[in-house]
Amino acid sequence: MQNQRLKLLGMSCAACASTIEKAIGAVPGVEACHVNFATEQAAVSYDPHQTDLTKIQAAVEGVGYGAYPISDYPLAVEEDAERRDRAARQRELSRKVIVSLVIGGVLMIGGLPMMTGIPMALIPTWLHNPWMQLVLALPVMVWAGNHFFINAWKAFQHRSATMDTLVALGTGTAFLYSLFATLYPQWFLDQGLRPDVYFEITAVIIALILLGNLLENRARGQASEAIRQLIGLQAKTARVIRGSQAFDIPIAAVVPGDVILVRPGEKIPVDGEIIAGASTLDEAMVTGESLPVQKTIGDQVIGATLNKTGSFKFRATRVGKDTFLAQIVKLVQQAQGSKAPIQQLADRVTGWFVPVVIAVAILTFVVWFNLMGNVSMALITTVGVLILACPCALGLATPTSIMVGTGKGAENGILIKGADSLELAHKIQTIVLDKTGTITHGKPTVTDYVTLQGTATELHLLKLAGTLERHSEHPLAEAVVQYAQSQGLTLGHPQDFVAMPGSGVQGVVDGHRVQIGTHRWMVELGLATDRLQRQGEALESQGRTVVWLAVDGQVVALLGIADAVKPSAVAALATLRRMGLEVVMLTGDNRRTAEAIAQEVGIRRLFAEVRPDQKAALVEALQREGKMVAMVGDGINDAPALAQADVGMAIGTGTDVAIAASDITLISGDLQGIVTAIQLSRATIGNIRQNLFFAFIYNLAGIPIAAGLFYPITGWLLNPIIAGAAMAFSSVSVVMNALRLRNFRPSPPFPHSP
């Protein structure tokens, strides 16, 4: 399947988004389509063997809208184009709002005698002359509000109805009625009716709706601020060394393999590896890590981070759309374009919203005309119903909050892959954490080396162990290799190397059959461990991970390995418990080591000596207890459990496989990110519920009032102008409420209390 984002043109409300989504979804070969009204984009997944972008674009155009593909790179160019489009729309709306408000204000003065009953003599004659009012109202209808009628006609041609349909029907009905009263006043007089005109209603309603669109357009631009900030982190140029010369080139011209010089105070232009020099880097803008990080030869650097102190050279490894920053932006864009399950109700309502409102408006006119015989009252109530109803508020309630929430997550070093993950996170009841690389640094070191002779002098055994472990990717293997090399040993290459997941490794080194792994594995192999049992238990009681070494079928040595707990782990886990969450540790290590770590960080429930294939089963067992489970891990062996969990959280310093299998990525590896992710989810879902509540209440309460349902009891009758103002600001209020999420701040960690 191929994934593509499309920029959509001509949308005016959530009903438009629903129409486009159905049209794209009906194209053969399209597997999934999510249209986001807030971002005016569509995320499409399709089979390129069955369809292509041309057919998908044709489907969009077939229902009256436009679409063009958005490239993933260059990011800045795409963002600049979108900003220019939004600015141009702002200028156009501003002009239309000013002209419409001025004309509407003049027409309001002319309509005061009819609306308030004040004597006409107090108003200049020309202002309440219907012909003059017609001349003033025409520019508003023909120029300022023309797109409402054009879009409504397009929707009608494609057998759909949108917010533009409601506005066009409401203002068009009032205008045509007023035009008829201006042309044929005698007909009304013959019927015993006053030939009143309502040109001020049409002009002011259009002005207010345009003002609402103007404010909404500006607010929606603020909602996508996170993407702009991320893209703004990019360096514009890179100082590349080619041959013996160093010169600045645009960042887009950098290619993998280029050697780049970075001086103090400069941004790292692309991702790479330091080959000369050392420095301190501020990576907070990308990873959320607050403290500067020391970097030296061999260390990786991330594009868009800031060089603080020294100068260094690095070799570019990832450029363009492959850089870490570009991947972050892409993930945030995907998340902002996705749909949360909570949005399904709003989508269903928007699907039939406009037709129902039109039916209610027709019923309102019929009832009032039959009951009162007053065409003016029937007209006012009908126009009020059409203008007040607003599907936009429903359509913006969820996606705008998701946009701000996912952007805020990226700002805090948390990548959320989809809106469904952001929603599910607030329901989490149990957090399952892998130990190595998650609770601990994942970079263990050998602290003890014990042989049968009780000394560490038998370096030939250590050489066998180090040589075998060179082919293993396990963190414990790296510790053994580094320890062996630190003893001045030159390591060779093993033969017949086999990794036994969850147990250890084996192979042939210098003609010897060598096996390194857990105590359980040694027992399963039938090897005697009793001669080193006491030493092994003593090391485990100290929180060491014990690795057993067997050569030619005999256990000959063991190594004690320690992995320090991350500084943030104790406070973060204490905070999670104070939030009412159960914290569980899952590890392949032996029970004694696991218990020592668990006690240090305050975890009461743990599963030790768990093989990789058992981790997913244990997560499933917790789910069968009726709990919503989140799994946090960093290794390849955590990937099945991450996928099994309701919400998988990967440590960003871990493997690509784990990150790919997760729903949320904690870029910095700081466990405080778990707390922040859950708090952000709770804040976002709370914000969405507020938006949906206000959007539903606004329409459920407003439409009956506009229809005059309470008029016989309370005398309430809604002026269409007030209805227009309410409709214009309903969607603005929803967007402004969503923008409050930009003030989200994670709460400080609680002090540790085991």
Side-chain angles (χ1 to χ4, degrees), residues 95-123:
R95 288 193 295 268
K96 290 185 175 182
V97 166
I98 292 170
V99 172
S100 302
L101 283 176
V102 170
I103 293 176
V106 172
L107 289 172
M108 282 281 288
I109 296 173
L112 284 176
M114 183 186 68
M115 290 188 291
T116 64
I118 67 172
M120 284 192 176
L122 297 178
I123 306 296

Short mmCIF file of all heavy atoms in Angstrom, two decimals, residues 95-123:
data_model
loop_
_atom_site.label_atom_id
_atom_site.label_comp_id
_atom_site.label_asym_id
_atom_site.label_seq_id
_atom_site.Cartn_x
_atom_site.Cartn_y
_atom_site.Cartn_z
N ARG A 95 -10.80 42.09 3.67
CA ARG A 95 -11.45 43.08 2.79
C ARG A 95 -12.96 42.87 2.75
O ARG A 95 -13.74 43.84 2.86
CB ARG A 95 -10.86 42.98 1.38
CG ARG A 95 -9.44 43.50 1.25
CD ARG A 95 -9.05 43.65 -0.21
NE ARG A 95 -9.02 42.37 -0.90
CZ ARG A 95 -7.94 41.60 -1.02
NH1 ARG A 95 -6.80 42.01 -0.48
NH2 ARG A 95 -7.99 40.46 -1.68
N LYS A 96 -13.37 41.63 2.61
CA LYS A 96 -14.80 41.35 2.52
C LYS A 96 -15.52 41.67 3.83
O LYS A 96 -16.66 42.17 3.82
CB LYS A 96 -15.02 39.89 2.14
CG LYS A 96 -14.63 39.56 0.70
CD LYS A 96 -14.97 38.13 0.33
CE LYS A 96 -14.69 37.86 -1.15
NZ LYS A 96 -15.06 36.49 -1.56
N VAL A 97 -14.87 41.38 4.95
CA VAL A 97 -15.48 41.66 6.25
C VAL A 97 -15.67 43.16 6.44
O VAL A 97 -16.74 43.62 6.87
CB VAL A 97 -14.61 41.08 7.39
CG1 VAL A 97 -15.03 41.65 8.74
CG2 VAL A 97 -14.73 39.57 7.42
N ILE A 98 -14.63 43.95 6.11
CA ILE A 98 -14.72 45.40 6.31
C ILE A 98 -15.85 45.99 5.46
O ILE A 98 -16.69 46.75 5.95
CB ILE A 98 -13.37 46.06 5.96
CG1 ILE A 98 -12.31 45.65 7.00
CG2 ILE A 98 -13.52 47.58 5.92
CD1 ILE A 98 -10.90 46.06 6.63
N VAL A 99 -15.86 45.63 4.17
CA VAL A 99 -16.90 46.17 3.28
C VAL A 99 -18.29 45.72 3.74
O VAL A 99 -19.23 46.52 3.81
CB VAL A 99 -16.65 45.71 1.83
CG1 VAL A 99 -17.82 46.09 0.93
CG2 VAL A 99 -15.35 46.31 1.30
N SER A 100 -18.44 44.45 4.10
CA SER A 100 -19.74 43.92 4.51
C SER A 100 -20.23 44.55 5.81
O SER A 100 -21.42 44.86 5.95
CB SER A 100 -19.67 42.40 4.68
OG SER A 100 -19.26 41.79 3.49
N LEU A 101 -19.32 44.74 6.76
CA LEU A 101 -19.71 45.34 8.03
C LEU A 101 -20.14 46.81 7.85
O LEU A 101 -21.10 47.26 8.48
CB LEU A 101 -18.57 45.25 9.04
CG LEU A 101 -18.33 43.88 9.69
CD1 LEU A 101 -17.10 43.90 10.58
CD2 LEU A 101 -19.56 43.44 10.50
N VAL A 102 -19.41 47.54 7.02
CA VAL A 102 -19.78 48.94 6.78
C VAL A 102 -21.16 49.02 6.13
O VAL A 102 -22.04 49.77 6.58
CB VAL A 102 -18.72 49.63 5.89
CG1 VAL A 102 -19.22 51.00 5.45
CG2 VAL A 102 -17.41 49.77 6.65
N ILE A 103 -21.35 48.23 5.07
CA ILE A 103 -22.65 48.24 4.39
C ILE A 103 -23.74 47.72 5.32
O ILE A 103 -24.84 48.29 5.39
CB ILE A 103 -22.58 47.40 3.10
CG1 ILE A 103 -21.66 48.07 2.08
CG2 ILE A 103 -23.98 47.20 2.51
CD1 ILE A 103 -21.46 47.26 0.81
N GLY A 104 -23.46 46.65 6.03
CA GLY A 104 -24.44 46.11 6.96
C GLY A 104 -24.81 47.09 8.04
O GLY A 104 -25.99 47.19 8.44
N GLY A 105 -23.81 47.86 8.54
CA GLY A 105 -24.10 48.87 9.56
C GLY A 105 -25.03 49.95 9.04
O GLY A 105 -25.97 50.38 9.73
N VAL A 106 -24.78 50.41 7.80
CA VAL A 106 -25.65 51.43 7.20
C VAL A 106 -27.06 50.89 7.02
O VAL A 106 -28.06 51.57 7.33
CB VAL A 106 -25.06 51.89 5.84
CG1 VAL A 106 -26.05 52.81 5.11
CG2 VAL A 106 -23.73 52.59 6.04
N LEU A 107 -27.16 49.65 6.53
CA LEU A 107 -28.48 49.05 6.34
C LEU A 107 -29.21 48.83 7.66
O LEU A 107 -30.43 48.94 7.74
CB LEU A 107 -28.35 47.71 5.60
CG LEU A 107 -27.96 47.81 4.11
CD1 LEU A 107 -27.65 46.43 3.54
CD2 LEU A 107 -29.10 48.46 3.30
N MET A 108 -28.46 48.53 8.72
CA MET A 108 -29.07 48.36 10.04
C MET A 108 -29.73 49.66 10.51
O MET A 108 -30.83 49.65 11.08
CB MET A 108 -28.00 47.93 11.06
CG MET A 108 -27.61 46.47 10.97
SD MET A 108 -28.81 45.38 11.77
CE MET A 108 -28.50 45.75 13.49
N ILE A 109 -29.04 50.76 10.25
CA ILE A 109 -29.62 52.06 10.64
C ILE A 109 -30.92 52.30 9.87
O ILE A 109 -31.93 52.73 10.43
CB ILE A 109 -28.61 53.20 10.36
CG1 ILE A 109 -27.38 53.02 11.25
CG2 ILE A 109 -29.26 54.56 10.60
CD1 ILE A 109 -26.24 53.98 10.94
N GLY A 110 -30.90 51.96 8.56
CA GLY A 110 -32.11 52.14 7.76
C GLY A 110 -33.23 51.22 8.19
O GLY A 110 -34.42 51.53 7.99
N GLY A 111 -32.90 50.07 8.77
CA GLY A 111 -33.93 49.12 9.18
C GLY A 111 -34.41 49.30 10.60
O GLY A 111 -35.27 48.53 11.06
N LEU A 112 -33.87 50.29 11.34
CA LEU A 112 -34.27 50.48 12.74
C LEU A 112 -35.76 50.73 12.91
O LEU A 112 -36.37 50.20 13.86
CB LEU A 112 -33.45 51.62 13.35
CG LEU A 112 -31.99 51.29 13.71
CD1 LEU A 112 -31.27 52.54 14.22
CD2 LEU A 112 -31.94 50.20 14.76
N PRO A 113 -36.39 51.53 12.05
CA PRO A 113 -37.84 51.74 12.24
C PRO A 113 -38.62 50.42 12.22
O PRO A 113 -39.55 50.23 13.01
CB PRO A 113 -38.21 52.64 11.07
CG PRO A 113 -36.95 53.37 10.74
CD PRO A 113 -35.86 52.37 10.97
N MET A 114 -38.27 49.52 11.31
CA MET A 114 -39.00 48.26 11.22
C MET A 114 -38.66 47.34 12.40
O MET A 114 -39.52 46.65 12.94
CB MET A 114 -38.65 47.56 9.90
CG MET A 114 -39.41 46.25 9.65
SD MET A 114 -38.83 45.41 8.19
CE MET A 114 -37.19 44.91 8.67
N MET A 115 -37.38 47.35 12.83
CA MET A 115 -36.96 46.43 13.88
C MET A 115 -37.35 46.91 15.27
O MET A 115 -37.66 46.11 16.15
CB MET A 115 -35.43 46.23 13.82
CG MET A 115 -34.97 45.43 12.61
SD MET A 115 -33.20 45.01 12.68
CE MET A 115 -32.46 46.63 12.45
N THR A 116 -37.31 48.24 15.48
CA THR A 116 -37.54 48.76 16.83
C THR A 116 -38.82 49.57 16.97
O THR A 116 -39.25 49.86 18.08
CB THR A 116 -36.35 49.63 17.26
OG1 THR A 116 -36.27 50.78 16.38
CG2 THR A 116 -35.05 48.85 17.19
N GLY A 117 -39.38 49.97 15.83
CA GLY A 117 -40.61 50.76 15.90
C GLY A 117 -40.38 52.25 16.09
O GLY A 117 -41.35 53.02 16.30
N ILE A 118 -39.12 52.73 16.02
CA ILE A 118 -38.89 54.17 16.17
C ILE A 118 -39.43 54.88 14.93
O ILE A 118 -39.48 54.31 13.84
CB ILE A 118 -37.39 54.47 16.38
CG1 ILE A 118 -36.59 54.14 15.10
CG2 ILE A 118 -36.83 53.72 17.57
CD1 ILE A 118 -35.14 54.61 15.18
N PRO A 119 -39.79 56.13 15.08
CA PRO A 119 -40.38 56.86 13.93
C PRO A 119 -39.40 56.95 12.77
O PRO A 119 -38.20 57.17 12.96
CB PRO A 119 -40.67 58.25 14.52
CG PRO A 119 -40.74 58.04 16.00
CD PRO A 119 -39.79 56.93 16.31
N MET A 120 -39.94 56.78 11.56
CA MET A 120 -39.10 56.86 10.37
C MET A 120 -38.51 58.26 10.19
O MET A 120 -37.46 58.42 9.57
CB MET A 120 -39.92 56.50 9.12
CG MET A 120 -40.16 55.02 8.95
SD MET A 120 -40.80 54.64 7.31
CE MET A 120 -40.86 52.85 7.39
N ALA A 121 -39.18 59.26 10.74
CA ALA A 121 -38.72 60.63 10.57
C ALA A 121 -37.35 60.85 11.20
O ALA A 121 -36.62 61.78 10.82
CB ALA A 121 -39.73 61.61 11.19
N LEU A 122 -36.96 59.99 12.14
CA LEU A 122 -35.66 60.14 12.80
C LEU A 122 -34.52 59.58 11.97
O LEU A 122 -33.35 59.79 12.29
CB LEU A 122 -35.69 59.44 14.17
CG LEU A 122 -36.69 59.99 15.19
CD1 LEU A 122 -36.64 59.16 16.47
CD2 LEU A 122 -36.39 61.47 15.50
N ILE A 123 -34.84 58.83 10.94
CA ILE A 123 -33.83 58.22 10.07
C ILE A 123 -33.88 58.91 8.71
O ILE A 123 -34.98 59.14 8.18
CB ILE A 123 -34.09 56.71 9.90
CG1 ILE A 123 -34.19 56.02 11.25
CG2 ILE A 123 -32.99 56.07 9.06
CD1 ILE A 123 -32.94 56.05 12.08
#
